[in-house]
Amino acid sequence: MSDDRLVGIVLVSHSATVAAAVAELAQGLVGGGPHVPVAPAGGTEGGGLGTSSELVVAAAASVDRGAGVAVLTDLGSAVLTVKALLAEGDELPDDTRLVDAPFVEGAVAAVVTAATGADLDAVAAAAAEAYSYRKA
């Protein structure tokens, strides 16, 4: 399957390093499957800790293939930034969704599911389901 109709994934973190590392981990675990469009949107434009609506908008545009964009966030202002952008309604691609999921496990589940060609609903559900992953 080509990546032209895969759901895109945006990972919004307060840290550019964390967002990039989680993107790399999630894509690496897909293995030899299709290349899922994933973009980190971490930190501020100046490289500091925080969140940037401009970086989120650019990341979402870069992964949009027309099948929807799932946005996962780490905490606090990352969530608020994405919610504000969604409320404005004109800066993010159509069918962009904030997914309530754990950041690392949810990102992996979202990317692996998107690689199967699943739709946005299935990608969001797989990411949210990661809340139930038990470690002990």
Side-chain angles (χ1 to χ4, degrees):
M1 166 179 289
S2 69
D3 70 354
D4 61 341
R5 289 295 297 167
L6 296 177
V7 171
I9 314 291
V10 175
L11 302 175
V12 183
S13 172
H14 284 70
S15 164
T17 303
V18 169
V22 172
E24 179 183 0
L25 173 67
Q27 287 177 313
L29 292 176
V30 172
H35 178 74
V36 175
V38 178
T44 64
E45 290 89 349
L49 294 176
T51 55
S52 161
S53 59
E54 291 81 10
L55 292 176
V56 173
V57 168
S62 77
V63 301
D64 182 24
R65 304 293 186 272
V69 176
V71 181
L72 285 82
T73 61
D74 59 1
L75 45 94
S77 65
V79 176
L80 297 175
T81 297
V82 174
K83 283 185 174 182
L85 287 168
L86 288 169
E88 290 171 15
D90 61 349
E91 292 195 68
L92 295 174
D94 291 340
D95 294 325
T96 297
R97 185 178 307 173
L98 174 60
V99 178
D100 184 10
F103 193 61
V104 175
E105 295 92 335
V108 170
V111 172
V112 168
T113 303
T116 70
D119 65 12
L120 181 58
D121 288 337
V123 170
E129 188 177 306
Y131 273 127
S132 67
Y133 295 173
R134 304 299 309 163
K135 297 178 184 176

